[in-house]
Every structure is written in structure tokens, then in C-alpha cells.
Amino acid sequence: MRAARLIKMVLLLQARPSMTAAELAAELEVSERTITRDAQALSEAGVPVYADRGRTGGYRLIGGYRTRLTGLGRSEAEALFLSGVPGALREMGLQDAASAARLKVSAALMPSLRDASQNASQRFHLDAPGWFKETPAPELLPAVADAVWDDRRVTARYRRQEAEVERELEPYGLVLKAGVWYLCARVPASGSAAFRVYRIDRFVSVTAGEERFVRDEEFDLPGFWEERAAQFARAILRAEVVVRLSEAGVRHLPYATDPASAREAMESAGGPDAAGRVCVTLPVENEDVAFTQLMALGPEAEVIAPAGLRARFARAAARMTGLYDS
């Protein structure tokens, strides 16, 4: 533990002209007294750490000292490629590896390029979840992530409707979609060793075994997810509604419903009627979802069918008229 801290201290001083004891203590999460002892230990080991005394003093390396301890470990190198998604790194338990990797890269750069990391972080930040959604990270995500990185088979229990099911899984990859974590895994017990998708927040327990699985090198995580996501989007659209849209309703439909379905509906629609409205047949998940989505369009959308949904809109319109007429 101390050896790793000493190495990190040298890399910090190598990446910056000078650092105060307070700055080093904050970076290394220790006390300033520990920094003083560590600096003395480095000096005794031959690392030329010089302490500038006084209120504005600090620690620095002298004589152009350069350490060769900048080689990246595997976990650090893998985490470095994810360093643009700090929230995801934190939830998977990889923030320390990413921090060490960035520090090593910074220490290896020429002095004129050492501000590159700071410049990038000041100019780009990824906030994956949608607005007004606080999605806590699943408690078992770090355990799942460890198994994914280490290619270890896991025994997982997960909730499926009202029951709990246990499966042996080969965890291939993680996907963060709109703040929700998913695991793409192969099920070796199935006849075709099929790949499936699981929501990690539905896992009840995850136990990693000692056995590693042989990864299928042809497996393409982005391609697999894109295909499954498209299948899922199509599968849940089991009903249809017929809607007459104003010009404004046509423009706003993709924002109120599934954008791909809205585009397909508009492409197959006919021209506007005498009132300038366009009649479309729109795939929807069910009538309840359609009611919520199309209510957002207000008077720009008139539901024609099914009759039950049209009657529901008529009742809602009557209630709204009563509210505003009073």
C-alpha cells in the first residue's frame, strides 16, 4: 500500500513543477505528516525530492529526474479507454485504476503537453442518464464488472416477474443505457449457448467461480446491443392507433412517441386532407402508453381508432373543458 503511494507521489511531482504538502495530501488521501515522512523516505531511496520551506513552499523533483515507473498495468490501460465516462467508472469500481492510468500517461508526456488531460476534462463531460432521473447504481454492479473484465463464469440469481431464477452465465460485456446497466452474457447451459441481455438491477446475487470461459473472439458487443435494442423496440410495439395530426402534430410526433415508429408511420401516410391534417397508423406499446404519449400533443392530434382510446381522449377533453370553463 505504501509502495504504491510513494510511486504515485513521484508521478505527481514529475507531472507538475511543484506541489504543496496539502495538495499532495489531498491527492493521496493521507495527512500532511504522512507526506513529510514519504518525502523523506523517497529522498533516502535516492529520489531527489526537494522541500521548499516557507508559506508558499512545497515539494518538487530536482535535476530533471524522470522515473521509468510509467508502464500501464492491464486494468489501468483498460480503464484509460473509459476515462471519458467518470460516472460509469465509479459505479464499476474502476475509478482508482483510471486515476492511476491518467497520472502515468501525464507523467510520460512532455511538459508542454501535461495540461492535455485537464483541457479535455474542462471541455467534455458525459452525463448518460436522462433529465429528472436519479438512477442509483446496482449494488452488484462491481461484482459483475469484475467477472466481465476477468472472463469468469458466474452463478447469478435474478428476478423474473414474481419468481427468482438461477443461471450460470458467461459475462461478456456491460452496457449503460439511459442510466440503466445491462449485462450481455452467454448462457452455456442452453442448447445453442445463446447470448442474452439482463438488467443488473434485477440480480439478487452474483457469485464468481474460479473457472474462466473462452471468449468468442467474433462477439461484437456494440453490434449485438444495437441488434437486440432494435428487436426490443419492435417487440414492445404490439398495438396500433390511428391518429389525425396537424402540421404541428407531425413535427412533434417523434418527440412524443418512439422516433423510429413515428418516422415509419409518416413515410407510409397519405397526403393531408382538406383541413391540412395527416392520418397516420402508429405502432404503440399499448393503449395506456399511447394515451400518455399522445396527450402531450394536445389538440394537434385526434385519435380516430381504436374506439375505446378515442372515447378515453373525449372524456379527458371534457374534463379539461370543465376545468377551464369554471
Side-chain angles (χ1 to χ4, degrees), residues 213-297:
F213 63 89
V214 178
R215 180 175 287 267
D216 182 353
E217 297 300 330
E218 295 184 0
F219 178 75
D220 174 23
L221 178 60
F224 171 78
W225 176 259
E226 182 178 4
E227 179 182 350
R228 285 303 174 92
Q231 290 176 357
F232 175 76
R234 290 192 298 269
I236 64 173
L237 301 178
R238 301 186 181 95
E240 288 184 344
V241 297
V242 181
V243 188
R244 289 178 70 233
L245 300 167
S246 67
E247 185 178 344
V250 170
R251 291 198 307 271
H252 296 152
L253 185 65
Y255 302 100
T257 64
D258 175 62
S261 299
R263 287 193 298 270
E264 291 176 5
M266 293 306 307
E267 289 171 358
S268 60
D273 58 19
R277 289 185 169 247
V278 176
C279 192
V280 302
T281 300
L282 181 70
V284 295
E285 186 173 346
N286 54 53
E287 290 190 17
D288 288 336
V289 172
F291 178 79
T292 302
Q293 293 175 334
L294 295 176
M295 275 290 287
L297 299 180

Side-chain angles (χ1 to χ4, degrees), residues 121-205:
S121 64
Q122 289 175 342
R123 288 163 173 79
F124 175 76
H125 174 71
L126 176 64
D127 185 7
W131 287 104
F132 314 118
K133 292 182 180 179
E134 291 292 335
T135 307
E139 182 179 346
L140 295 174
L141 175 60
V144 176
D146 284 345
V148 169
W149 291 113
D150 211 20
D151 292 342
R152 290 191 182 276
R153 287 189 175 183
V154 300
T155 301
R157 292 187 63 82
Y158 66 96
R159 294 186 299 275
R160 189 169 69 181
Q161 297 178 348
E162 301 299 323
E164 288 188 6
V165 180
E166 184 173 287
R167 291 284 186 273
E168 183 177 340
L169 303 175
E170 295 177 351
Y172 265 66
L174 295 168
V175 175
L176 177 60
K177 170 71 171 180
V180 179
W181 284 95
Y182 297 88
L183 172 67
C184 301
R186 185 165 61 182
V187 185
S190 64
S192 59
F195 287 94
R196 297 175 184 170
V197 177
Y198 301 87
R199 277 186 60 144
I200 295 179
D201 58 5
R202 293 179 182 167
F203 282 139
V204 176
S205 65

